[in-house]
């Protein structure tokens, strides 16, 4: 019997909100020949509705309809006409006979062959079949009709993402709007977005998502919430995406509302009642969600409860959960992010050593279904860190790398930072364990130490949430690339990026070259203006993790110290004279970092404490390198605006406008970064910039130097975060402020930037005039449009720039800024800059 259907098509992209990300399947023009060469039939082998293979059939049908406007018949049994056949190896061989010349497939792997009468998309399992379907569609959507026949297998079986969503609907370090899973303490009723998210994840071969914050809340385990989690699992299952949960170690004592457990007075992992408590919870979860992925545990870290409270080891804590998961094949991801607060006055204390100190002695004591999840560097998702030495220290324990797509310290999706070049510095790093090749990607895949489990996890906030407005289109390249690299970390960042560009924005060569260039330049640029030479991201580490605040690194227990003073800077992590963090690496790597001669410039301040006048391998002094790289990084960020502008008309206006809004923001904020950091170290060292730029801003009119009416001069939270250390604010929250100044720059055309502060707690209105000619108005409304962490202060987080381009200005014209405050935002202004058009000056 032949069972075929002409399906109604869904999912054709109409409005370009960006919600479909790289799965738009936009119509390909000029492809009619190929269209007729595509089979008319899709054969979906042995799929029950809701299974990944069934989904594969739907995707193939819908994708081909959308790309080529061609309706295929979807059949659920053998078809004699030429067809696109999708299914598992077992089903394929049952129906069509043995597959010829197919290399061995691992779980989730697939075979794609477009060379024969039938197009074969055959997965080792259902998930593999779906991945193969997405792969084939990705080729078609990119206009790639090459005949291919190849098998591909994942490098690691752990390809997870971690959502840091809270039960109240907020997201820890989430910059794209509210949770798509939770609100008001429970799972939301409409899970449409969760299903769309699973589809995106599956298309890049992510196989599980931990849906709640690592700083977990025990209420997730209530009977009602586990039912809710099971609904999430139901909408993700058709995409082969499993659901996992973060746990709060102290849950047994926290009154969880679930009849399978009752409240205890202890959470000691060796206490029988605690073991039973977790066994009951796990049994209960698996009875409702049989394909539950497992747990993620953050314990004894940043205020979270853990086994150390009861003098038990981290391994004893981990095994408590691992044992309950074992009968079900569940996985325990146990985080290595454990550290204590430290004392900076002690020269040898070092947070970077914590993970190895805690975990290395426990190697071999974790159960086989446990994976230690290790942040890529030893501190915390910084703009550059050396590879965590813990990867070299666990030989009898499974390991996975933890990356952060969310850009917490890297611009919070308001700065374009394409992350794979950063990730590759770690994934491709050779730790040379036992003097043998020990590249991180081969350690986490399990290959190097012959471990059964391993892979990657990435902290993601969904970015394109229900509030599409907060989503960053360009930031989606990081999620896409994360999945691609989790599958195969040998891939290079640029070709992966280019697949994403074609899928997201179409095939126009100018789009491809421009977004490639912007993206590939973006991490080096951000590194240059936010934290070069291995000093870490010089952001506000105590609060927002967003804008510049170098002073915040010091004089607290968090151990992200730079030890900067008027003469010198950097952490001495050598064994000869410092914290001996270098000694945590295998001998060859240790030797490289122990010596200042062989430490690469880009990590010099991570490993060595040097004078500001120390000459780098590059020939520059440390301080001059700081000045130059901050100027060059910010200059590159300015070019992102012009580069993107060259794509006007080639990209739909919705997405173009959203991208331009963020690039303009980054252009302005990169200058805030540049000046804050440079001024801070100039004020500390009094060493002048060889090029005379730092502290000299000939094209600026300081707001405090203008004639003020209704405005008054104000200091700022950190001097260097305002030009000339001060700004203006309205005298009250109901007074309109007016600031005027006679322009004494030569007559000509100028790009004008107004630096103002955009805080929480009000939407001020600003207008700018030249000789009473209104240039335009804007609002201090970043809290509704950008999604990064804001502050209530005038500081490096809130300082930003509004731009007017190509304005005709005459010497003697009057500049006027009018600020209307709102609530506690007193229309604050820092300065106005006049940049002669075409001069290349970035002041
Ligand atoms: C960072 C981040 C925290 C997070 C922590 C973690 O410190 O700022 O919000 O909880 O990492 O990874 O657990």
């Amino acid at each position: 019997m032949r069972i075929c259907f002409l399906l109604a098509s869904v999912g054709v992209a109409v409005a370009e909100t960006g919600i479909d990300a790289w799965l738009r399947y936009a119509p390909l023009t000029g492809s009619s020949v190929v269209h007729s060469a595509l089979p008319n039939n899709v054969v979906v082998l042995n799929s029950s509705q809701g299974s990944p293979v069934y989904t594969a059939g739907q995707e193939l049908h819908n994708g081909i309809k959308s790309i080529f406007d061609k309706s295929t018949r979807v059949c659920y049994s053998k078809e004699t006409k030429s067809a696109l056949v999708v299914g598992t190896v077992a089903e394929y061989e049952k129906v069509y006979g043995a597959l010829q010349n197919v290399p061995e497939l691992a779980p989730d792997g697939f075979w794609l062959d477009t060379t024969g009468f039938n197009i074969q998309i055959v997965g080792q399992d259902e998930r593999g079949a779906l991945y193969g379907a997405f792969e084939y569609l990705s080729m078609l959507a990119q206009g790639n009709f090459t005949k291919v026949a190849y098998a591909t297998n994942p490098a690691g079986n752990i390809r997870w993402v971690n959502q840091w969503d809270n039960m109240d609907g907020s997201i820890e370090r989430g910059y794209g709007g509210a949770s798509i899973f939770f609100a008001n303490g429970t799972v939301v009723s409409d899970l449409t977005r969760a299903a769309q998210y699973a589809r995106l994840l599956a298309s890049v071969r992510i196989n599980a998502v931990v849906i709640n914050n690592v700083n977990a809340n025990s209420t997730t385990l209530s009977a009602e919430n586990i039912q809710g989690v099971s609904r999430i699992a139901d909408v993700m299952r058709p995409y082969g995406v499993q659901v996992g949960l973060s746990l709060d170690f102290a849950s047994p004592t926290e009154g969880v509302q679930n009849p399978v457990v009752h409240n205890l007075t202890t959470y000691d992992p060796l206490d029988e009642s605690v073991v039973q408590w977790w066994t009951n919870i796990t049994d209960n979860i698996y009875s409702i969600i049989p394909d539950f992925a497992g747990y993620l545990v953050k314990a004894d870290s940043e205020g979270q409860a853990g086994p150390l409270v009861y003098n038990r080891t981290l391994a004893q804590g981990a095994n408590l959960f691992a044992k309950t998961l074992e009968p079900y094949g569940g996985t325990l991801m146990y985080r290595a992010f454990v550290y204590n607060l430290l004392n900076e006055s002690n020269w040898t204390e070092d947070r970077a050593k914590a993970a190895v100190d805690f975990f290395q002695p426990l190697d071999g004591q974790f159960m086989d279904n446990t994976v230690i999840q290790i942040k890529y560097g030893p501190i915390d998702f910084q703009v550059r860190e050396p590879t965590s030495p813990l990867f070299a220290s666990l030989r009898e324990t499974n390991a996975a790398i933890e990356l952060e797509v969310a850009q917490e310290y890297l611009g919070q999706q308001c700065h374009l930072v394409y992350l794979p070049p950063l990730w590759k510095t770690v994934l491709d790093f050779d730790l040379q364990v036992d003097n043998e090749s020990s590249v991180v990607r081969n350690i986490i895949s399990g290959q190097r130490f012959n471990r059964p489990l391993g892979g990657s996890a990435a902290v993601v906030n969904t970015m394109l949430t229900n509030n599409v407005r907060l989503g960053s289109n360009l930031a989606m390249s990081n999620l896409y690339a994360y999945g691609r690299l989790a599958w195969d970390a040998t891939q290079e960042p640029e070709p992966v990026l280019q697949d994403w560009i074609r899928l997201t924005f179409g095939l126009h060569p100018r789009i491809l070259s421009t977004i490639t260039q912007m993206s590939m330049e973006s991490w080096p640029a951000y590194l240059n203006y936010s934290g070069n030479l291995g000093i870490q991201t010089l952001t506000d580490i105590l609060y927002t993790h967003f804008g510049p605040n170098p002073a915040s690194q010091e004089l607290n227990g968090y151990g992200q110290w730079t030890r900067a003073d008027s003469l010198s800077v950097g952490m001495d992590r050598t064994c000869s004279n410092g914290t001996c963090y270098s000694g945590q690496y295998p001998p060859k790597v240790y030797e490289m970092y122990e010596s200042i001669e062989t430490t690469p410039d880009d990590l010099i301040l991570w490993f060595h404490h040097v004078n500001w006048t120390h000459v780098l391998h590059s020939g520059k002094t440390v301080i001059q390198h700081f000045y130059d790289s901050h100027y060059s990084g910010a200059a590159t960020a300015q070019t992102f605006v012009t580069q993107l502008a060259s794509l006007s008309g080639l990209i739909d206006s919705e997405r173009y406008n959203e991208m331009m809004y963020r690039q303009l923001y980054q252009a302005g904020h990169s200058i805030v970064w540049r000046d804050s950091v440079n001024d801070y170290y100039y004020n500390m060292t009094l060493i002048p910039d060889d090029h005379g730029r730092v502290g000299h801003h000939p094209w600026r009119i300081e707001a405090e130097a203008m004639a003020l009416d209704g405005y008054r001069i104000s200091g700022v939270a950190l001097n260097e975060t305002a030009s000339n250390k001060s700004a203006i604010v309205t005298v009250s929250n109901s007074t309109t402020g007016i600031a005027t100044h006679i322009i004494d720059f030569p007559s000509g055309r100028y790009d004008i930037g107004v630096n103002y502060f955009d805080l929480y707690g009000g939407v001020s209105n600003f207008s700018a005039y030249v000789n009473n000619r209104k240039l335009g108005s804007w609002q201090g409304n970043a809290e509704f449009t950008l999604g990064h962490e804001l502050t209530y202060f005038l500081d490096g987080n809130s300082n930003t720039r509004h731009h007017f381009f190509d304005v005709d200005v005459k010497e003697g014209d009057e500049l006027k800024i009018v600020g209307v405050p709102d609530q506690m935002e007193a229309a604050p202004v820092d300065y106005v800059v006049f940049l002669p058009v075409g001069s290349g000056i970035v002041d």
Side-chain angles (χ1 to χ4, degrees):
M1 191 181 64
R2 289 183 24 203
I3 327 165
C4 299
F5 302 94
L6 268 171
L7 301 178
S9 290
V10 292
V12 181
V14 232
E16 292 280 4
T17 58
I19 199 100
D20 296 310
W22 57 85
L23 294 180
R24 294 158 61 240
Y25 299 136
L28 267 189
T29 46
S31 54
S32 49
V33 178
V34 177
H35 167 283
S36 59
L38 280 170
N40 294 325
N41 306 295
V42 175
V43 172
V44 188
L45 294 173
N46 196 39
S47 68
S48 49
Q49 193 157 351
S51 71
V53 171
Y54 183 85
T55 308
Q58 304 276 311
E59 287 290 333
L60 288 165
H61 171 82
N62 293 339
I64 289 170
K65 173 74 185 151
S66 178
I67 301 168
F68 302 103
D69 193 23
K70 176 187 170 94
S71 295
T72 47
R73 284 185 331 144
V74 178
C75 312
Y76 295 96
S77 62
K78 188 171 178 175
E79 168 62 53
T80 48
K81 297 201 189 91
S82 152
L84 232 158
V85 183
V86 61
T88 60
V89 174
E91 288 305 321
Y92 186 93
E93 297 197 331
K94 239 190 256 167
V95 178
Y96 288 93
L99 279 161
Q100 304 299 323
N101 306 323
V102 176
E104 203 181 324
L105 294 177
D108 297 354
F110 64 86
W111 163 253
L112 173 63
D113 185 346
T114 64
T115 60
F117 174 70
N118 286 332
I119 292 175
Q120 299 169 341
I121 303 177
V122 187
Q124 174 60 25
D125 43 31
E126 291 226 357
R127 199 143 62 184
L130 176 60
Y131 294 169
F134 276 122
E135 173 77 356
Y136 179 59
L137 285 166
S138 164
M139 286 180 64
L140 294 182
Q142 294 182 63
N144 176 357
F145 305 105
T146 334
K147 297 281 178 205
V148 295
Y150 64 89
T152 176
N153 290 312
N157 26 29
I158 307 294
R159 301 182 308 279
W160 291 24
V161 295
N162 298 171
Q163 295 289 140
W164 283 359
D165 294 27
N166 296 314
M167 299 306 295
D168 66 2
S170 63
I171 303 182
E172 173 131 357
R173 312 295 176 190
Y175 313 108
S179 172
I180 60 174
F181 301 116
F182 307 113
N184 307 317
T186 54
V187 174
V188 295
S189 53
D190 180 358
L191 290 170
T192 318
R193 289 286 296 119
Q196 288 169 338
Y197 184 44
R199 178 173 175 251
L200 280 181
L201 296 178
S203 75
V204 287
R205 307 177 202 165
I206 303 293
N207 55 7
V209 47
V210 176
I211 52 180
N212 62 318
N213 191 354
V214 283
N215 300 319
N217 185 327
S218 57
T219 61
T220 321
L221 301 176
S222 73
E224 183 193 354
N225 282 332
I226 289 177
Q227 284 299 340
V229 173
S230 110
R231 285 194 294 112
I232 297 175
D234 288 346
V235 302
M236 296 199 152
R237 191 168 294 115
Y239 299 97
V241 177
Q242 293 170 260
V243 166
L245 286 177
S246 294
L247 295 183
D248 173 354
F249 208 95
S251 300
T253 61
E254 291 178 350
V256 170
Q257 297 294 301
N258 191 325
V260 301
V261 290
H262 55 81
N263 211 32
L264 305 179
T265 51
T266 175
Y267 55 88
D268 177 352
L270 297 192
D271 186 294
E272 263 319 305
S273 65
V274 173
V275 174
Q276 196 53 52
W277 198 97
W278 284 110
T279 306
N280 291 351
I281 285 287
T282 307
D283 290 347
N284 179 243
I285 292 177
Y286 276 94
S287 71
I288 299 168
I289 313 168
D291 57 353
F292 182 70
Y295 296 132
L296 171 62
V297 175
K298 171 179 180 179
D300 295 301
S301 169
E302 300 187 330
Q304 298 300 302
L308 299 181
V309 173
Y310 294 93
N311 284 327
R312 309 301 186 193
T313 69
L314 300 177
Q316 287 170 324
N319 291 343
L320 165 69
F321 305 109
K323 262 189 212 125
T324 70
L325 292 165
E326 196 184 28
Y328 303 101
T331 302
L332 172 69
M333 304 296 292
Y334 200 84
R335 296 180 86 224
F337 186 65
V338 181
Y339 67 95
N340 296 324
L341 293 184
L342 302 172
N343 180 355
E344 189 171 3
S345 59
N346 184 341
W347 185 253
T348 57
E349 293 215 340
D350 190 355
R351 170 173 162 192
K353 288 164 64 180
V356 170
D357 286 349
F358 276 111
F359 283 86
Q360 200 273 335
L362 303 173
D363 188 23
Q365 296 181 27
F366 294 91
M367 289 179 61
D368 264 358
N369 63 337
T370 301
V371 181
I372 305 301
Q373 184 169 311
I374 306 169
K375 289 192 182 185
Y376 59 84
I379 296 274
D380 193 11
F381 300 139
Q382 299 298 292
V383 68
R384 190 194 282 279
E385 294 188 47
T387 298
S388 170
L390 187 56
F391 291 113
S393 314
L394 300 178
R395 299 172 184 219
E396 293 171 51
T397 306
N398 305 316
I401 194 168
E402 181 174 309
L403 304 171
E404 195 184 44
V405 166
Q407 288 185 242
E408 173 183 352
Y409 293 89
L410 287 106
Q412 304 185 354
Q413 297 161 30
C414 298
H415 291 232
L416 168 63
V417 184
Y418 179 56
L419 297 166
L422 160 65
W423 297 338
K424 289 286 274 185
T425 63
V426 174
L427 290 166
D428 291 348
F429 189 80
D430 187 352
L431 283 157
Q432 301 180 69
V433 180
D434 297 338
N435 294 332
E436 276 175 40
S437 165
S438 308
V439 179
V440 170
R441 59 169 189 267
N442 297 332
I443 294 175
I444 59 171
S445 70
Q447 187 192 319
R448 172 66 180 87
F449 297 125
N450 201 16
R451 298 297 315 162
L453 286 179
S456 332
V459 179
V460 174
N461 57 57
T462 48
M463 293 184 269
L464 294 178
T465 64
N466 292 318
N467 184 350
V468 174
R469 206 168 150 211
L470 282 179
S472 159
N473 283 292
L474 286 175
M476 292 300 273
S477 60
N478 288 320
L479 181 56
Y480 177 86
Y482 165 65
R484 293 280 304 268
L485 292 175
W487 184 267
D488 175 8
T490 64
Q491 295 176 96
E492 288 305 318
E494 187 166 317
V496 170
L497 170 74
Q498 295 198 321
D499 285 345
W500 172 80
I501 295 171
R502 283 183 287 256
L503 293 169
T504 305
F505 297 110
L507 306 185
H508 197 291
R510 181 138 43 97
I511 298 180
L512 185 68
S513 62
T514 305
I515 297 186
T516 300
Q517 188 180 337
M518 289 169 65
S519 303
M520 293 306 292
E521 288 175 352
S522 62
W523 173 61
Y526 189 82
L527 178 68
N528 276 338
Y529 62 74
S530 75
N532 53 65
L533 300 180
I535 200 169
Q536 306 167 77
T537 317
L538 293 168
T539 184
D540 186 336
I541 68 151
L542 299 175
Y543 188 14
T544 60
H545 298 187
F546 180 63
N549 188 346
S552 71
Q553 318 284 122
E554 254 67 41
L555 302 176
N556 58 60
Y558 289 99
Q560 292 189 219
W561 310 317
T562 71
R563 295 199 186 279
D565 60 25
S566 61
L567 293 177
S568 48
V569 60
M571 280 290 287
D572 188 335
R573 291 187 158 111
T574 63
C575 289
S576 57
N577 186 48
T579 71
C580 203
Y581 162 83
S582 61
Q584 292 190 336
Y585 288 99
K588 287 208 167 139
V589 179
Y590 155 73
E591 279 160 26
M592 172 176 70
Y593 289 141
E594 179 72 9
S595 157
I596 203 162
E597 300 306 322
T598 48
T599 302
D601 282 352
D602 54 33
L603 283 172
I604 189 91
L605 301 181
W606 184 281
F607 285 102
H608 300 279
H609 185 76
V610 297
N611 286 340
W612 286 104
T613 50
H614 172 80
V615 178
L616 299 164
H617 297 303
S618 69
K620 280 186 190 176
T621 62
V622 169
I623 189 73
Q624 193 57 42
H625 179 99
F626 263 54
Y627 295 153
D628 290 351
S629 62
H630 281 79
Y631 267 87
S632 104
T636 303
Q638 310 309 302
T639 72
F640 296 163
V641 172
T642 36
Q643 291 191 57
L644 183 61
S646 76
L647 303 183
S648 170
L650 298 181
I651 295 176
D652 53 282
S653 56
E654 290 94 335
R655 290 185 300 166
Y656 176 85
N657 290 339
E658 179 279 321
M659 286 150 66
M660 184 53 93
Y661 179 69
R662 280 168 198 264
Q663 290 319 138
L664 284 167
Y665 175 79
Q666 181 178 8
H669 199 231
S670 65
I671 289 171
V672 175
W673 263 101
R674 178 194 77 186
D675 295 345
S676 304
V677 174
N678 279 347
D679 290 358
Y680 181 78
Y681 291 114
Y682 172 72
N683 291 338
M684 184 181 276
T685 63
L686 298 178
I687 301 173
D689 166 23
D690 284 349
H691 303 293
R693 299 156 301 187
V694 176
H696 298 116
H697 299 288
W699 297 98
R700 291 184 183 177
I701 297 171
E702 294 295 341
E704 60 275 16
M706 297 173 77
L708 304 181
D709 176 9
Y711 263 126
R712 67 175 173 81
I713 297 175
S714 164
V716 295
L718 174 75
N719 276 341
E720 289 83 5
T721 54
S723 189
N724 196 34
K725 302 180 183 168
S726 45
I728 57 171
V729 292
T730 56
V731 295
S732 81
N733 60 2
S734 57
T735 314
T736 295
I738 301 176
T740 52
H741 190 80
I742 301 301
I743 299 167
D744 57 2
F745 300 122
S747 301
R749 300 195 77 79
Y750 289 87
D751 293 335
I752 298 176
V754 184
N755 271 58
Y756 66 105
F757 296 84
D758 194 338
L759 329 173
Y760 271 132
V763 176
S764 308
N765 227 295
F766 301 87
S767 307
Y769 301 79
V770 169
N771 260 5
N772 282 331
R773 178 162 49 94
K774 190 167 180 177
L775 302 180
S777 295
W778 70 99
Q779 294 186 319
N781 60 355
E783 53 269 60
F784 304 112
T785 57
L786 277 171
H788 68 73
E789 283 289 342
L790 287 145
T791 58
Y792 293 99
F793 312 109
L794 308 192
D795 61 18
N797 302 294
S798 54
N799 197 340
T800 181
R801 183 177 278 194
H802 188 81
H803 309 257
F804 296 103
F805 292 104
D806 210 11
V807 180
D808 200 8
V809 174
K810 301 230 165 7
E811 191 170 350
D813 280 353
E814 185 194 60
L815 166 72
K816 181 166 74 181
I817 304 290
V818 178
V820 182
D822 179 46
Q823 301 165 62
M824 64 175 293
E825 191 180 81
V829 179
D830 185 5
Y831 64 89
V832 184
V833 66
F834 287 70
L835 303 170
V837 171
S839 66
I841 293 170
V842 185
D843 193 13

